[in-house]
Amino acid sequence: MQALKERILKEGKNLGGGILKVDSFINHQVDPILMDACGAELAKRFAHVGATRVLTAEISGIGPALMTAKHLGVPVVYARKTKPITMPDTVYLTIAPSHTRGRPVELIVSPEYLASGERVLIIDDFLASGATILGLVRLTQAAGAEVVGIGALIEKTFEGGRDALAFLNVPIVSLACIVSMVEGKIVFAP
């Protein structure tokens, strides 16, 4: 998606160590027009998988997941990082390392919203090492549901996440693939 790539180059900040700050349009302040366009593109690319749910992680994945789900006409469920008192005692829970927090985080989903037999499309803001998405895969499998696809706004191909997810044998789509972030530059795949 050219519009996403242009925003990354214009407003994204390479903070070093593989960290890309896109807070002005994805992670802190969200551009709803851009997110809607990204959601429409992801929905188009995953229209054939028959998803019945979109699953993401709180909080940065909610924007792209919500817009993708809107265009697919299915609900979006997001894994919480803390368990609210309104959630039942029995939940699906896993631990995943957080690249930006620098520590492991819990991912929690209520069985009320992720059930056996669901066809789950996982959507997130980034695909880097694949650790967060693998956590979402574990939650899906714990529910007895099936992962039918994985989508991300931005993929950092040099972190190997796509390879870590290859065993799932599902389509993996990224709208902007970054192949290098060396010396402050952001280089996209051709």
Side-chain angles (χ1 to χ4, degrees), residues 94-175:
T94 191
I95 306 292
S98 171
H99 196 61
T100 51
R101 291 180 188 239
R103 61 177 171 78
V105 296
E106 291 183 337
L107 297 174
I108 308 163
V109 172
S110 172
E112 296 172 273
Y113 306 113
L114 189 59
S116 177
E118 296 282 0
R119 296 177 56 79
V120 176
L121 172 60
I122 295 173
I123 299 289
D124 209 356
D125 56 341
F126 278 92
L127 169 54
S129 69
T132 299
I133 292 174
L134 282 169
L136 295 171
V137 168
R138 288 191 300 274
L139 292 173
T140 302
Q141 292 170 339
E146 176 187 1
V147 175
V148 296
I150 297 167
L153 296 179
I154 303 165
E155 179 177 352
K156 294 186 279 182
T157 61
F158 54 91
E159 290 195 32
R162 184 176 291 264
D163 292 339
L165 300 167
F167 75 96
L168 294 166
N169 294 315
V170 298
I172 300 173
V173 173
S174 300
L175 299 182

Side-chain angles (χ1 to χ4, degrees), residues 12-187:
K13 292 179 176 56
N14 181 345
L15 300 181
I19 304 290
L20 175 62
K21 182 177 178 179
V22 288
D23 287 7
S24 66
F25 57 100
I26 296 174
N27 294 129
H28 194 63
Q29 173 175 273
V30 179
D31 180 334
I33 295 167
L34 179 62
M35 284 307 101
D36 189 54
C38 290
E41 182 64 24
L42 287 167
K44 181 175 97 177
R45 297 208 200 170
F46 287 109
H48 67 285
V49 300
T52 59
R53 289 269 187 281
V54 171
L55 177 65
T56 194
E58 163 176 78
I59 184 109
S60 299
I62 294 174
L66 184 62
M67 292 299 119
T68 303
K70 170 192 164 196
H71 289 282
L72 289 173
V74 301
V76 62
V77 176
Y78 67 91
R80 308 283 300 254
K81 292 183 180 166
T82 58
K83 184 178 175 284
I85 62 170
T86 57
M87 197 176 275
D89 290 336
T90 303
V91 295
Y92 302 121
L93 182 142
T94 191
I95 306 292
S98 171
H99 196 61
T100 51
R101 291 180 188 239
R103 61 177 171 78
V105 296
E106 291 183 337
L107 297 174
I108 308 163
V109 172
S110 172
E112 296 172 273
Y113 306 113
L114 189 59
S116 177
E118 296 282 0
R119 296 177 56 79
V120 176
L121 172 60
I122 295 173
I123 299 289
D124 209 356
D125 56 341
F126 278 92
L127 169 54
S129 69
T132 299
I133 292 174
L134 282 169
L136 295 171
V137 168
R138 288 191 300 274
L139 292 173
T140 302
Q141 292 170 339
E146 176 187 1
V147 175
V148 296
I150 297 167
L153 296 179
I154 303 165
E155 179 177 352
K156 294 186 279 182
T157 61
F158 54 91
E159 290 195 32
R162 184 176 291 264
D163 292 339
L165 300 167
F167 75 96
L168 294 166
N169 294 315
V170 298
I172 300 173
V173 173
S174 300
L175 299 182
C177 293
I178 297 172
V179 296
S180 175
M181 290 178 60
V182 177
E183 297 177 4
K185 296 182 178 120
I186 299 168
V187 179

